[in-house]
Amino acid sequence: MLKVREITIAQAQDRFRGGRFSARELTAAFLDRIAKWDKAGPQISSTMALSATALEEAAELDSYLKETGNLKGKLHGIPRGMVTTYGSAVAKDNIFDEDAFVVTKLKAAGAVILGKTTLAEWASVWFSLNDATDYKFTKDPYNLNHDVRASSRGSSAAVAANFTILAVGEDTGGSIRVPSSFCNIVGLRPTVGIISRTGFCPLIKTQDTPGPMARTVMDCALMLDCMVGFDPRDEFTGRVEKIKRAKIGVIRQKFGPDSDPDCRAVNKVMSAAIDKLQGVGTTFIDVHIDDLDHYMSYPLTYLQRSRSDINSFLATKPYLPQDLADILPVTSDKPYLNMTCAMAHGPKDPGDDPTYLDRILLRDEFKRKIDCLIASLGLDALTLPDVRVSPPRVEDATNGRFIRDGQEDFPTNTCLASVIRHPAISVPAGFTEGGLPVGIEFIGLEYQEQSLLDLAFGVEAIVRGRNEPPLPL
C-alpha cells in the first residue's frame, strides 16, 4: 500500500510530477485507510458518506497533468474532507443539488473531494455525538478512549489519522480550534466573511466561518489561499524570524487552576512552549482584561438567534422540516443536548428576546476593548490554551463532569475570538505526560490572517509540538 502518513501537499505534488505515484493512487490509498481504520479496526468514525466519484475525478487530474505538463491548481490531486450534514438524522441522506461555493473554489484548484466528515448535532454540542451516527463518538486518534469534541470533530480526526491531507471545518464558538487542539493539528478560524458561507447551514450568522484544517501551517495556508484568495507569497522563507521578534500578550486569566490535575497538565505544556519561544527571542507579557468571563459569555446568542438562523437555511430545503423546534425535543435525556434543545426552542425572531440588543452592544464593546489592548501594547497577537483541559474521556459526555446548573459548561477559551469575530489559529503545543495533545491559540486583529500564519509557522518550527498518532494510524 502507498505510504501516505504525514504526507504534505508539496511532497504529494512533487511525486505527481516525478511519476512516483498518481493522484488516483493517492486517493485510493486514503480511501483504503478509511476503510481499514475509520470504518473498521479502531473505528475512528470521522467520516460519513464517501464520494463515489473521487477516483474518477483524481484520474481526470492525472490526465490533465499528462496532457499539459502542469498541475491544475495549488491543490492538484490533494484529497480533502468536508462537513455537509448537520449532525442530524433528519438530514442524513441530504444531497445538495449544487456544491457550496467554497467546494467549487477548492475543486477549481484541483482538490479531490473524498466525502463528508462527521459533525456535532446541529454544530451546537461540545461532545462529538449526533443522531445521524446514532450518537457514536468520534475517537481521538491519540487515545481511543478520549473524545475529539466540537462540530468539526470528523474533519480534525480525519486529518490527524491520515485519512486525508486537508479538511474544511466550521467555527462558530471554537469548532475548528477545539478539535484541532485535541487532535494535534493546525486549524485556522479566519475573520468572518472572508470565506463564503454559501451552502453552509448557519448556527449564528454573525459568528460562523469555514476554515482550513491541516497537519502543517504551510498546508493550512495553501488551503486558505484557494478558499479566499489569500497570498502565501510562494514560500515561508525567513518566516521563523517573525516569531523571534514578536510581542505576544498572554491571557493568564484563562489558564485553568493548577489545583486541577488536568488543567495543571495543560498549563505545563503551555509553559514549555512559551519557554521555547522565549529562548529564541519572543517577548511575552501578561495582560489582564476586566470582566473577561462576562465578556466571553454574555454576548453569545445561541439561545437567542440560532433557531432563526437555522430555520432560514431549512427554508431553502423544502424536503426537510422547516423549524428546528420540530426536529429536537424541548428536553432530552442526554445531558450534552440540553443547550441544543434550548436553542431549538428559543425565539423565532431574536429581536423578541429582551436581552438581545444588550448582548450585541456588549459584543461590540468587547471587540473595541481587545483592539485597544493589542494596539496600545504593540502586540502581534494574544495567546492562551485553546481549552483549559486535555481531551476528555468518552464517559465525560454522560457523567456530569462539565454540567453546571443543568447546562454544559465546557472549559474552552475559543469563544473569545468568536465573540469579537477575530481570526485565531490553533497550533500543536505538545503533549501531556499522559500522551494527550494540547493546542496553543493565537488571536490577531481582523483580516490579519497573513500575520497569524507567519507567527504560527515560527511556532511550528521552534516548538515542534506535532507527533504522528500511534500505529496503525
Side-chain angles (χ1 to χ4, degrees):
M1 184 173 67
L2 193 66
K3 294 181 180 180
V4 297
R5 290 188 85 208
E6 303 298 293
I7 194 169
T8 65
I9 293 173
Q11 290 168 345
Q13 292 183 341
D14 282 347
R15 291 165 194 176
F16 295 158
R17 293 187 186 96
R20 292 180 58 185
F21 56 72
S22 66
R24 189 186 188 285
E25 289 170 329
L26 181 64
T27 300
F30 280 118
L31 291 173
D32 185 61
R33 289 180 62 85
I34 290 169
K36 286 183 177 179
W37 296 310
D38 198 55
K39 304 301 184 184
Q43 294 187 338
I44 298 298
S45 301
S46 67
T47 62
M48 293 188 69
L50 296 175
S51 172
T53 61
L55 291 173
E56 179 183 338
E57 292 169 7
E60 290 174 358
L61 291 167
D62 291 331
S63 296
Y64 181 92
L65 176 59
K66 184 177 180 179
E67 292 168 6
T68 67
N70 298 313
L71 300 178
K72 183 177 180 181
K74 293 179 180 178
L75 299 183
H76 178 105
I78 302 302
R80 48 163 295 280
M82 177 78 185
V83 174
T84 58
T85 63
Y86 324 118
S88 175
V90 74
K92 189 173 182 179
D93 298 318
N94 176 54
I95 299 175
F96 277 16
D97 52 8
E98 63 177 315
D99 285 334
F101 183 81
V102 71
V103 175
T104 300
K105 287 183 72 68
L106 291 168
K107 284 183 174 179
V112 177
I113 311 302
L114 290 177
K116 303 175 183 178
T117 53
T118 53
L119 174 73
E121 187 132 352
W122 293 103
S124 63
V125 180
W126 286 114
F127 277 98
S128 65
L129 298 161
N130 67 61
D131 67 344
T133 59
D134 197 24
Y135 297 102
K136 189 175 184 179
F137 282 92
T138 298
K139 300 172 185 175
D140 193 315
Y142 290 89
N143 188 318
L144 302 182
N145 294 316
H146 290 252
D147 186 29
V148 171
R149 281 260 173 172
S151 302
S152 303
R153 95 284 177 103
S155 293
S156 62
V159 171
N162 290 283
F163 298 149
T164 183
I165 295 178
L166 306 170
V168 173
E170 190 281 333
D171 193 304
T172 301
S175 292
I176 287 175
R177 291 160 290 153
V178 170
S180 293
S181 172
F182 287 169
C183 286
N184 201 225
I185 67 168
V186 179
L188 173 68
R189 170 195 168 85
T191 305
V192 173
I194 69 167
I195 297 176
S196 170
R197 296 172 292 180
T198 300
F200 281 72
C201 177
L203 181 59
I204 300 178
K205 288 181 179 179
T206 56
Q207 289 182 202
D208 300 333
T209 179
M213 305 173 79
R215 287 185 293 273
T216 70
V217 175
M218 174 66 86
D219 284 358
C220 192
L222 288 170
M223 188 176 184
L224 180 66
D225 184 5
C226 297
M227 297 171 82
V228 76
F230 163 89
D231 180 9
R233 290 176 285 175
D234 298 327
E235 298 292 342
F236 273 108
T237 305
R239 292 192 178 187
V240 174
E241 298 305 312
K242 178 155 187 173
I243 192 66
K244 295 178 180 179
R245 301 190 303 269
K247 186 178 182 182
I248 309 294
V250 183
I251 308 176
R252 300 268 178 200
Q253 292 162 271
K254 301 310 291 183
F255 284 54
D258 280 333
S259 58
D260 181 311
D262 201 9
C263 294
R264 185 167 64 248
V266 170
N267 294 347
K268 187 175 180 179
V269 176
M270 286 289 298
S271 294
I274 289 172
D275 286 348
K276 285 184 180 179
L277 294 168
Q278 284 180 319
V280 299
T282 309
T283 299
F284 289 90
I285 63 169
D286 289 355
V287 298
H288 182 84
I289 302 165
D290 291 337
D291 301 319
L292 180 57
D293 288 343
H294 184 58
Y295 276 120
M296 286 177 61
S297 59
Y298 191 71
L300 295 172
T301 56
Y302 294 95
L303 302 184
Q304 287 71 35
R305 68 170 296 161
S306 289
R307 179 184 182 184
S308 172
D309 285 349
I310 292 173
N311 284 354
S312 71
F313 179 78
L314 293 173
T316 68
K317 309 291 176 186
Y319 48 84
L320 295 178
Q322 296 298 287
D323 190 345
L324 189 61
D326 295 331
I327 299 172
L328 291 163
V330 176
T331 60
S332 172
D333 59 356
K334 299 176 177 62
Y336 48 82
L337 285 180
N338 287 344
M339 192 190 83
T340 305
C341 291
M343 181 186 84
H345 293 273
K348 286 188 174 181
D349 182 339
D352 292 339
D353 187 296
T355 70
Y356 182 67
L357 178 58
D358 286 341
R359 293 173 187 272
I360 298 304
L361 291 174
L362 190 70
R363 178 199 71 189
D364 292 347
E365 178 184 317
F366 187 31
K367 174 181 164 32
R368 290 192 297 272
K369 184 181 285 283
I370 296 298
D371 288 349
C372 289
L373 175 68
I374 292 173
S376 64
L377 296 176
L379 301 176
D380 292 284
L382 298 171
T383 193
L384 70 176
D386 290 290
V387 186
R388 298 190 291 279
V389 297
S390 59
R393 297 183 67 86
V394 166
E395 56 264 29
D396 290 337
T398 54
N399 66 12
R401 179 185 176 191
F402 299 115
I403 300 297
R404 304 286 184 275
D405 300 323
Q407 296 292 331
E408 189 174 6
D409 182 23
F410 183 58
T412 180
N413 292 328
T414 52
C415 290
L416 196 162
S418 295
V419 166
I420 61 175
R421 297 176 294 175
H422 279 206
I425 191 166
S426 176
V427 185
F431 293 81
T432 66
E433 291 178 0
L436 295 172
V438 174
I440 183 170
E441 180 170 328
F442 293 89
I443 302 168
L445 294 171
E446 285 180 297
Y447 309 109
Q448 294 299 309
E449 284 78 6
Q450 177 75 61
S451 179
L452 273 184
L453 286 163
D454 286 347
L455 293 172
F457 184 77
V459 173
E460 179 182 64
I462 293 163
V463 174
R464 298 188 179 277
R466 173 161 175 83
N467 289 331
E468 298 178 13
L471 291 170
L473 301 174

